Amino acid sequence: MLDKTLAELAQGLATGEFSSVELTQNYLDRISAEDGTLNSFITVTPEQALAQANAADQRRAAGNADAFTGLPVAHKDIFCTEGVRTSCGSKMLDNFISPYNATVIEHFNRAGAVSLGKTNMDEFAMGSSNESSFYGPARNPWNTDCVPGGSSGGSAAAIAGGLTPAATGSDTGGSIRQPAALCGITGLKPTYGRVSRYGMIAYASSLDQGGPMARTAEDTAMMLNVMAGFDPKDSTSLDQPVPDYTLKLNDSLKGLKIGLPKEFFSGEIDPQITAQVQNAIREFEALGATVKEVSLPNTHLAIPAYYIIAPAEASSNLSRFDGVRYGYRCEDPVDLEDMYKRSRGEGFGEEVKRRIMVGTYALSEGFYDAYYKKALQIRRLIQQDYVNALSEVDVIMGPTTPHPAFKLGEKTSDPVAMYMEDIFTISLNLAGMPGISVPCGFANGLPVGLQLIGNYFAEERLLNAAHQFQQATDWHTQTPGQ
Ligand code: GLN
């Protein structure tokens, strides 16, 4: 039961092969058995899960089940969940029980989904390895000495380890796609504004986007059907109709034009990754696609621009954590200033403090034009690169990451080396377009991800291409320990 995809589990529920309560109990047992090692959950909610499963079984018995009713999922601990701790991976929110649900959570509740709990993540989604979590790192099920990627590392590790069939994530610079690649699963960053950010704790608001993670493209399509949609509570949410993302999965890829950006195949990249990605591209050619080289000439500026814009927005967003209204407050403050200083000093971890300091500096008077404004100008150039390339081709493809999963501790003392792991994912957030990572092979026994990038609102096309690839290959069916 635990190695089935969401689509297969939905079938099993529909035919009565098993109930949602049985299914949920199986996953809860697996979490109890395995999560001591993987540390992929921050909070497990067995009672709530079984109550939701029971309600889902009754709904099905009454003939009102939807496609998602009774299916278990886990949520990145960045999504506010009413009555359940929402920590964002931080000591600052270790005691925070959210009084309301994020819109995404409301959508899953309405669909009758079962929430198994909240998954581990880098503190405030800042990181690429899950090592900045206050709760300790999640581990990669393919090799528990290795990181699962980040910041949605708990979601990716939980799926790859068979602890949940699917999970939510958020992607500000690669945090869905990069851990998906490192754990050998499928992860989609939707178009900016496609999925509501209401109740998803803000890191860098102009870049943050929630999205689905699962074993297959078909499963991420099922997830996106639940997650996507206009939300009047999020002013950046887009009022565009939501198609049924599962409908076009089987369209033919004949004539699909694929662009390979030359900048994604040069520089610091593991040759085994390049080789696996090239094999995958040949598979697409066999499916009827054509390939040409394109250029994204400003790729090398993406990391510097991102590491001004994201910290600048973060420094503003995180000013709300002051020990006054909710979250961590230091012991015995002598006065108000002492309370602010020590609550923030003790509540935030090292990486978060680094970002707040960089962001505050970049926004300060006198430096604003030199850093922040310049970064915004570069952002526009990067976006134009994608618009130009996507006027020539339907989909851009390349590696999701330059390396497979690295060892725990390997990059923690060198923040810039860590930042470089997002070299192929970060520019897409600056442009606001959608991207999906799918498993396409192995390097030294560790999964490799292929990234597919499309134009604004091209999620259907990306899911179609990814699904066809998965129909022709079996990388996505491999599980650790086989
Ligand atoms: N690794 C990048 C960062 O630390 C991206 C993280 C994310 O997408 N949330 O900012």
Side-chain angles (χ1 to χ4, degrees), residues 76 78 122 124-129 150-152 170-178 203 208 306-307 310 351 355 418-419 422 425-426 429:
K76 184 175 184 178
I78 198 167
D122 280 297
F124 285 102
M126 298 174 188
S128 307
S129 68
S151 63
S152 314
S170 71
D171 193 312
T172 304
S175 280
I176 288 176
R177 292 160 287 154
Q178 186 258 14
Y203 161 18
D208 297 341
Y306 174 91
Y307 277 100
E351 185 61 27
R355 309 275 177 114
M418 187 77 86
Y419 298 169
D422 298 327
T425 51
I426 248 172
N429 298 75

